[in-house]
Amino acid sequence: DARLHPTTELTFPAGFRWGTATAAYQIEGAAGEDGRTPSIWDTFSRTPGKVRNGDTGDIAADHYHRLREDVALMRDLGVTDYRFSVSWPRVQPTGRGPGEQKGLDFYRRLTDELREAGIRPVATLYHWDLPQELEDAGGWPHRDTAERFAEYAALVAGALGDRVAMWTTLNEPWCAAFLGYASGVHAPGRTDPVAALRAAHHLNLAHGRAVRVLRAALPASAEISLTLNLHAVRALSDSEADRDAARRIDALGNRVFLDPVFHGRLPADLVEDTAALTDWSFVRDGDLEVAATPIDSLGINYYSPTVVAAGTSASPSPWPGADRHVRFVPAPGPRTAMDWPVDAQGLYELLTRLRDELPEVPLVITENGAAYDDYADPSGDVHDPERVAYLHAHLAAVHRALADGVDVRGYFLWSLLDNFEWAYGYGKRFGIVHVDFASQRRTPKDSARWYADVIARGGLPQ
Ligand code: GBH
């Protein structure tokens, strides 16, 4: 409220949801406890050479044993919502059949604790940790995995349906399909472009099947969503060749999911671009209708824009069929510790595009944040000024989009805690709370105090 905080420059709408986000494999640890079996990320991270420094999620931030402390951290921040993911191999160890009660109980304890703290639980069903048994049976390129996912969704809805306000089926199916099966930099580490296209389709199908299952099982008030890491694609120049490169990446990075999920169709140009690889006959009658089952909102994870020009890329790449047509151009300007460009305008562009293309769909920023090396002063305070600047700039972009009529309902900061940053291991820190991985001590950084102030004001300070 601007009257209470005269120095608040940009006020967000009442009811705007302020959250933080995490994912099971990145924080939980307890990889072998209470009946949990290996997921593809356990297998991948234990394979030498796949993850920097040989890091694994075996212990991670030990959140499985520290959920009360971590919820208390969020209560201190004042967040309204918390986005976590459910570990499939923890709650359904073989990927089929009955659930594992001890695993389900963990999420019941977590959601109890959240509700007691006045924080809305937002659950993601799949944040990349496929049970290894299902990968052994073919993984996402195999159609049956979509059926298994729908059954798993029913199991989790049965256990948590009375206590989770918002449900996300999949986190970033682009990464699951194309980093997992085409470039191989994520689990399961396969480098087969056709398998990746099949995976993308089966993820769309799994999403739609799960939406139907959730809709039938959950109270009418439950919000059902999907999170995509949409690519804010820009052509390096206005030349026809560069614009064609941008079109290809828009097809493979965005419309491969947006078109099935919101329009029940495949992008015609994508089918044409990939004709030498596949005839898409794995898409069966009725699949696209299932994928297009209505949802209540779209989650967007945004970190950086993507700049492309006509050219070629090294293979294996995560872009089936585009390697000989597209070159990725490093964007100018400052970089995060991931070497990703800092460019809040890309978020604004993405949001206004979605307003124009999907005017009926409410949007939620389900992830935004940055990795930086922080530093502790002699008193132990942890400083991360670049992260504060990054967050400020991106929230200002969200505010500008709101002013321009984009229906953004909330913002989830990635991430609550420093955690296992996938192929980068523990070397990259995204948290607003520092984690000492030797002692598991949590220390809120300056950015945590800054975010708590933003939430308390309902907006950005000057
Ligand atoms: C998200 O992934 C994840 O949901 C989260 O678990 C993760 O910790 C967080 O962001 C930070 O990484 O792949 O060559 O096209 C974001 C993944 C990163 C995928 C940037 C696209 C662009 C380079 N995205 N990446 S490329």
Side-chain angles (χ1 to χ4, degrees):
D1 187 328
R3 283 159 310 173
L4 296 175
H5 298 279
T7 58
T8 295
E9 183 122 307
L10 303 174
T11 303
F12 283 69
F16 190 79
R17 287 149 53 182
W18 298 100
T20 56
T22 63
Y25 189 68
Q26 295 180 273
I27 64 165
E28 283 180 5
E33 274 177 58
D34 291 344
R36 181 185 175 288
T37 59
S39 78
I40 55 175
W41 267 97
D42 295 284
T43 306
F44 188 74
S45 65
R46 292 168 187 167
T47 306
K50 299 296 186 190
V51 173
R52 279 197 198 171
N53 197 37
D55 290 343
T56 72
D58 285 359
I59 300 172
D62 196 34
H63 170 73
Y64 191 72
H65 300 116
R66 291 165 201 267
L67 74 88
R68 299 191 74 154
E69 181 184 353
D70 292 340
V71 172
L73 284 167
M74 285 189 275
R75 196 197 301 112
D76 292 345
L77 286 170
V79 297
T80 60
D81 292 56
Y82 172 53
R83 173 176 182 256
F84 62 94
S85 81
V86 176
S87 162
W88 190 344
R90 197 181 284 295
V91 304
Q92 194 187 37
T94 62
R96 50 184 99 233
E100 167 55 65
Q101 197 55 44
K102 291 194 282 286
L104 292 166
D105 284 345
F106 167 73
Y107 297 104
R108 291 182 67 88
R109 288 201 303 281
L110 173 63
T111 46
D112 279 344
E113 203 68 31
L114 287 166
R115 280 146 37 105
E116 254 167 63
I119 300 169
R120 282 168 36 115
V122 175
T124 297
L125 288 174
Y126 187 71
H127 201 125
W128 308 351
D129 43 0
L130 188 72
Q132 182 62 42
E133 279 200 34
L134 294 186
E135 177 58 29
D136 295 342
W140 287 111
H142 183 52
R143 186 180 176 89
D144 185 57
T145 303
E147 298 312 310
R148 301 281 68 76
F149 183 71
E151 273 182 31
Y152 158 67
L155 173 78
V156 181
L160 306 179
D162 59 335
R163 58 203 37 241
V164 169
M166 177 179 172
W167 295 75
T168 298
T169 56
L170 308 172
N171 177 70
E172 302 191 350
W174 184 85
C175 294
F178 296 107
L179 300 181
Y181 293 93
S183 72
V185 306
H186 279 189
R190 289 170 60 182
T191 52
D192 174 348
V194 177
L197 293 169
R198 296 174 62 99
H201 173 62
H202 294 141
L203 283 155
N204 283 331
L205 181 63
H207 158 75
R209 298 274 291 111
V211 173
R212 292 183 178 194
V213 161
L214 293 175
R215 198 66 83 189
L218 297 174
S221 61
E223 178 178 340
I224 301 176
S225 189
L226 164 70
T227 282
L228 301 176
N229 60 307
L230 294 174
H231 293 72
V233 195
R234 293 183 196 141
L236 182 63
S237 83
D238 230 16
S239 74
E240 201 178 311
D242 287 357
R243 282 191 287 115
D244 188 63
R247 175 195 61 74
R248 287 171 184 272
I249 296 311
D250 183 48
L252 277 164
N254 299 329
R255 288 182 285 113
V256 65
F257 302 108
L258 290 173
D259 279 14
V261 168
F262 292 103
H263 306 297
R265 64 172 186 235
L266 290 173
D269 58 336
L270 174 64
V271 174
E272 210 174 292
D273 290 347
T274 54
L277 292 171
T278 177
D279 62 3
W280 291 78
S281 56
F282 48 85
V283 180
R284 298 198 190 154
D285 280 355
D287 285 3
L288 294 167
E289 233 178 284
V290 172
T293 305
I295 52 178
D296 302 312
S297 62
L298 173 64
I300 297 161
N301 294 353
Y302 175 83
Y303 292 90
S304 292
T306 305
V307 183
V308 298
T312 56
S313 311
S315 97
S317 88
W319 305 103
D323 301 353
R324 287 191 304 282
H325 304 273
V326 181
R327 164 170 79 89
F328 289 82
V329 182
R335 303 292 180 113
T336 70
M338 302 294 282
D339 207 29
W340 296 347
V342 178
D343 187 330
Q345 175 66 15
L347 177 55
Y348 175 82
E349 287 166 12
L350 199 55
L351 291 172
T352 50
R353 169 193 174 170
L354 291 166
R355 171 201 63 196
D356 296 342
E357 291 183 6
L358 299 169
E360 309 299 324
V361 181
L363 306 176
V364 179
I365 315 283
T366 39
E367 286 179 29
N368 176 243
Y372 284 107
D373 300 323
D374 48 43
Y375 63 99
D377 69 23
S379 77
D381 285 351
V382 181
H383 304 298
D384 56 344
E386 300 101 328
R387 177 173 292 104
V388 170
Y390 178 100
L391 296 171
H392 190 115
H394 286 75
L395 275 168
V398 174
H399 190 274
R400 197 147 55 87
L402 280 162
D404 291 345
V406 185
D407 184 6
V408 187
R409 302 288 173 91
Y411 176 90
F412 290 73
L413 198 165
W414 184 272
S415 182
L416 174 67
L417 302 171
D418 290 336
N419 60 52
F420 175 81
E421 177 48 33
W422 306 114
Y424 295 86
Y426 298 100
K428 302 294 178 200
R429 294 178 175 272
F430 274 88
I432 56 172
V433 174
H434 179 89
V435 177
D436 175 333
F437 291 105
S439 66
Q440 294 297 344
R441 212 169 90 102
R442 275 86 164 122
T443 310
K445 306 178 189 180
D446 284 347
S447 56
R449 283 178 283 278
W450 175 87
Y451 193 45
D453 178 60
V454 167
I455 297 170
R457 293 165 181 265
L460 291 174
Q462 256 156 356

